[in-house]
Amino acid sequence: MIDETHDPARRSWVESANRPGCDFPIQNLPLGVFTPPGSATARIGVAIGEAILDVSDWLPGDQLNAYMALSSADRADFRRHCVRRLEAGAKPCALYSQTECRLHRPVTIGDYTDFYASIDHATNVGKLFRPENPLLPNYKHVPIAYHGRASSIVVSGTPVKRPQGQLGEGRFGPTQELDYEVEVGFFVGPGNALGEPIAIAKARSHIAGVCLVNDWSARDIQRWEYQPLGPFLAKNFATSISPWVVTAEALAPFWTEPPPHDVPILPYLREPVPGALDLTVEVWFRTAAMTEPIRLSHAAFKDMYWTAGQMIAHHTVNGCPLQPGDLIASGTVSGPQPDNRGCLLELTAKGAEPLRLPTGETRTFLHDGDEVILTGYCERPGWVRIGLGHCRGTIRPQ
Ligand code: MN
């Protein structure tokens, strides 16, 4: 619901929050978990500009699960409380500098599910393996997903060790085809009881917030292992998430109509409200020899074939319970153009067309020392831009 907290005229007494292009203006107020310098105690904070407001007096503990279990009315109350403390004219209080604090994985993630909701990604990848029949016949009818592994989800900045595994018959060693995937993650709010599906009309109210997700993938391991049950060790060695959870309340002005479907879908998937999120994601990349990262791709999240609400309704239609803090990732966010491709598998056509970098280096897949940086932001005329921050990861050798 849009309310006075989204007022684009509102400013903060924190000057860095008022700068154009800032990810964390007072209209955003994402939550995270941090340890201040000199302290051993992690606590919950709200990002404002380049600073952090300690909110442990309102939200005790060192994970956001209890916050995510709140009703959307209670989450909106908390947002108004933060606005009152941080808006221009309020009495300034002590803040921490983000660069001086350690940021932690903000949520105890019980379960993690990864969807495959971009029809452009599904088509591009399908073309590489089945040029005559890129999109499988079920794609437009059933949201495709697999159950991921929560234990290897790490916060941005955590190094990613190149995994080893089976690369084919009798072949074992470090993956030679390490890839990233840019995705958007949804944290589940209140959730549902075993046996009780979440109706599509209520699905949106079960989203507590969003983050950026890098679903690191070992393509050679994946190719050898994925039939007939899907990804396993090619995916579950590491998944990176951004540290700041942008709340469902902050996203309220940015919901929009998804692209039309050309085949009818079942009634339980028909969403009565505009279910797409007007969010741009970008992938930036830096080798050890590069001083500055370059942008590899950008894509519009609103063009995904399945919406977050449809993912939640589908995930629970059989009675599967979702719990506060569960992570639902969208699948690789790609678009129709070459610079919309959200992973190296697509960008390099399975390694056939190497990327040429400004240093003269080339890449088909990731080398040790390479860094991948995901960013994302919601931007729309009439509203203040809100950012998702960064999700970074550097590859370490096996
Ligand atoms: Mn994925």
Side-chain angles (χ1 to χ4, degrees):
M1 193 174 66
I2 295 176
D3 60 25
E4 75 283 0
T5 64
H6 302 96
D7 181 353
R10 196 181 295 278
R11 292 285 178 274
S12 173
W13 55 262
V14 183
E15 267 316 306
S16 60
N18 302 327
R19 290 184 200 132
C22 168
D23 272 355
F24 307 134
I26 193 165
Q27 289 81 2
N28 191 348
L29 303 176
L31 284 98
V33 173
F34 73 105
T35 305
S39 168
T41 312
R43 63 201 70 181
I44 296 174
V46 164
I48 178 78
E50 294 168 1
I52 302 175
L53 173 70
D54 184 334
V55 294
S56 53
D57 52 343
W58 266 62
L59 298 175
D62 62 3
Q63 295 281 265
L64 294 176
N65 297 70
Y67 167 83
M68 289 175 175
L70 296 174
S71 68
S72 51
D74 287 341
R75 293 197 314 255
D77 271 351
F78 173 72
R79 176 175 166 86
R80 280 189 286 273
H81 157 78
C82 293
V83 168
R84 279 196 298 273
R85 287 178 72 174
L86 292 167
E87 68 184 335
K91 183 164 166 267
C93 59
L95 300 174
Y96 295 102
S97 157
Q98 280 169 28
T99 53
E100 289 175 355
C101 294
R102 256 186 71 204
L103 293 168
H104 306 277
R105 187 182 63 187
V107 183
T108 301
I109 298 167
D111 273 307
Y112 159 47
T113 303
D114 194 19
F115 276 83
Y116 196 59
S118 164
I119 197 167
D120 290 303
H121 173 68
T123 305
N124 290 342
V125 171
K127 267 184 200 153
L128 295 171
F129 296 93
R130 297 176 305 275
E132 69 298 341
N133 179 26
L135 205 60
L136 290 169
N138 59 357
Y139 190 84
K140 291 184 173 180
H141 303 274
V142 56
I144 302 296
Y146 67 94
H147 280 121
R149 184 79 185 169
S151 64
S152 55
I153 298 177
V154 296
V155 74
S156 170
T158 307
V160 173
K161 184 177 169 184
R162 177 180 298 274
Q164 60 177 10
Q166 287 203 29
L167 312 176
E169 189 179 335
R171 292 176 55 220
F172 182 89
T175 174
Q176 300 303 302
E177 298 185 16
L178 185 54
D179 200 353
Y180 63 82
E181 291 184 344
V182 59
E183 306 197 9
V184 174
F186 292 86
F187 285 108
V188 172
N192 59 311
L194 180 68
E196 293 179 15
I198 295 174
I200 186 84
K202 293 251 174 74
R204 180 87 66 71
S205 68
H206 287 269
I207 297 169
V210 307
C211 68
L212 294 162
V213 176
N214 188 337
D215 178 24
W216 304 98
S217 302
R219 301 301 184 191
D220 39 10
I221 295 174
Q222 185 174 2
R223 198 162 51 238
W224 175 235
E225 74 174 6
Y226 86 105
Q227 286 176 326
L229 287 186
F232 184 39
L233 303 180
K235 298 279 193 174
N236 67 8
F237 57 94
T239 305
S240 301
I241 61 171
S242 53
W244 294 108
V245 177
V246 172
T247 65
E249 288 66 45
L251 297 170
F254 301 101
W255 295 100
T256 187
E257 288 291 343
H261 287 187
D262 58 4
V263 298
I265 53 171
L266 287 167
Y268 83 94
L269 291 170
R270 291 183 202 147
E271 198 165 15
V273 291
L277 195 54
D278 200 350
L279 163 66
T280 301
V281 295
E282 298 185 351
V283 179
W284 294 72
F285 176 75
R286 195 176 65 82
T287 69
M290 291 163 67
T291 46
E292 295 297 326
I294 57 162
R295 193 175 76 168
L296 293 186
S297 71
H298 61 100
F301 186 65
K302 68 178 166 60
D303 292 340
M304 302 292 273
Y305 188 84
W306 299 108
T307 69
Q310 287 170 328
M311 294 180 218
I312 287 173
H314 181 66
H315 203 317
T316 61
V317 73
N318 66 345
C320 172
L322 298 179
Q323 296 182 308
D326 282 1
L327 181 64
I328 293 177
S330 61
T332 308
V333 186
S334 293
Q337 302 302 324
D339 62 351
N340 301 147
R341 294 171 183 167
C343 61
L344 289 175
L345 182 72
E346 283 175 78
L347 274 175
T348 70
K350 251 187 341 189
E353 299 165 17
L355 296 181
R356 299 192 181 282
L357 302 169
T359 46
E361 296 171 287
T362 59
R363 284 292 181 276
T364 49
F365 291 98
L366 298 171
H367 290 198
D368 295 342
D370 287 353
E371 183 182 29
V372 178
I373 307 156
L374 312 181
T375 65
Y377 50 88
C378 295
E379 209 168 30
R380 198 176 234 197
W383 300 101
V384 175
R385 173 195 188 278
I386 64 168
L388 271 63
H390 295 86
C391 179
R392 297 169 180 274
T394 300
I395 307 304
R396 294 277 180 263
Q398 171 54 230

